[in-house]
């Protein structure tokens, strides 16, 4: 077995391979034939095992012993499947987990009517971040979870003032009005790959807008 795959994290629990039992534990996504193969050099030696599992699955399907779950013909895939409910966002060199989808993060400032502003941070006129696949770590350079990447909404290319606006969780109007009080606390939570393992998405969101041809890099795919 590849050395760097001899343990893995599942629901925040580390499972070693050599734990004295006859079983060899591997992350499910590494060998599941129904999933896209993880593109890592260390997984190339598992190709034979994936093929064997694929053949065994096919035999079980042919004899009626196993019925895989399939999407009904013509049915649209779930729109929320690749749209993180609590996305991981990088801004001001820190990774946070948001309380809402990127396009639903609401301004926390108080309006003149003494209620909370209903504007969102991301608007058609504001600069957008870019979705990236990065190693599943809390900070850049930290040891990543084995064979795992995660979708990250990266705001690092935005000007400092824009990143600060996101960190303060204010819309463009209230970011320019520092005298306006906050009616709620900013909902950013420092990201921890073990604590927030259930919210890690291994694929990029599919509900993104296309980047205009020749557009600047920080006008990347919006959620």
């Amino acid at each position: 077995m590849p050395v760097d795959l001899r343990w893995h994290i599942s629901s925040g629990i580390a499972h070693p391979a050599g734990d004295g039992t006859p079983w060899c534990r591997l992350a499910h996504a590494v060998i599941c034939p129904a999933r896209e193969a993880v593109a890592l050099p260390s997984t190339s030696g598992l190709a034979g095992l994936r093929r064997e599992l694929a053949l065994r699955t096919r035999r079980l399907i042919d004899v009626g012993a196993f019925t895989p779950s399939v999407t009904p013909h013509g049915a649209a895939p779930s729109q929320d499947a690749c749209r993180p409910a609590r996305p991981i966002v990088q801004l001001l060199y820190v990774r946070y987990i948001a309380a809402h989808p990127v396009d639903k993060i609401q301004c926390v400032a108080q309006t003149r009517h003494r209620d909370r502003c209903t504007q969102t941070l991301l608007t058609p006129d504001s600069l957008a971040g870019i979705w990236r696949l990065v190693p599943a770590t809390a900070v850049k350079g930290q040891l990543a979870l084995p064979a795992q990447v995660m979708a990250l909404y990266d705001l690092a290319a935005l000007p400092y003032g824009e990143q600060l606006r996101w960190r303060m969780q204010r819309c463009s109007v209230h970011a320019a009005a520092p005298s306006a009080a906050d009616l709620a606390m900013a909902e950013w939570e420092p990201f921890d790959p073990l604590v927030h393992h259930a919210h890690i998405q291994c694929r990029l969101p599919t509900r993104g807008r296309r980047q205009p041809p020749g557009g600047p890099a920080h006008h990347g795919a919006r959620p």
Side-chain angles (χ1 to χ4, degrees), residues 1-206:
M1 188 197 310
V3 176
D4 58 343
L5 296 179
R6 292 180 183 176
W7 68 279
H8 73 280
I9 297 291
S10 178
S11 300
I13 301 175
H15 295 278
D19 57 356
T21 68
W23 296 97
C24 180
R25 294 181 174 87
L26 284 171
H28 178 80
V30 175
I31 57 174
C32 178
R35 294 194 179 187
E36 185 176 351
V38 179
L40 290 176
S42 58
T43 60
S44 59
L46 300 175
L49 179 58
R50 286 176 59 88
R51 285 194 298 269
E52 182 179 342
L53 291 174
L55 291 173
R56 180 180 300 178
T57 302
R58 171 52 58 187
R59 286 195 295 267
L60 292 174
I61 293 174
D62 291 342
V63 299
F66 173 67
T67 303
S69 59
V70 295
T71 302
H73 181 69
S78 173
Q79 290 185 330
D80 294 329
C82 293
R83 182 174 182 256
R86 297 195 64 188
I88 301 159
V89 180
Q90 178 162 306
L91 57 99
L92 298 175
Y93 301 101
V94 180
R95 290 179 179 176
Y96 298 95
I97 184 165
H100 309 281
V102 169
D103 57 341
K104 299 295 183 182
I105 300 176
Q106 184 181 344
C107 177
V108 298
Q110 184 180 33
T111 68
R112 290 180 296 176
H113 300 288
R114 298 185 180 278
D115 52 10
R116 181 174 175 176
C117 175
T118 59
Q119 295 296 316
T120 57
L121 305 191
L122 185 64
T123 65
D125 299 327
S126 64
L127 299 177
I130 298 177
W131 284 103
R132 302 182 187 276
L133 285 178
V134 300
T137 62
V139 294
K140 186 176 181 180
Q142 187 184 45
L143 182 64
L145 300 181
Q148 187 160 16
V149 294
M150 65 182 185
L152 173 82
Y153 192 64
D154 190 2
L155 296 168
L158 271 60
Y160 172 78
E162 274 294 290
Q163 294 188 58
L164 187 60
R165 178 178 74 83
W166 277 78
R167 180 61 183 86
M168 295 169 59
Q169 202 170 324
R170 287 193 166 214
C171 65
S172 300
V173 173
H174 285 109
S179 59
D182 287 344
L183 199 61
M185 297 287 292
E187 299 168 306
W188 301 110
E189 184 178 345
F191 171 68
D192 186 313
L194 299 182
V195 175
H196 303 120
H197 185 268
H199 301 290
I200 293 178
Q201 300 290 330
C202 301
R203 293 186 296 170
L204 295 176
T206 55

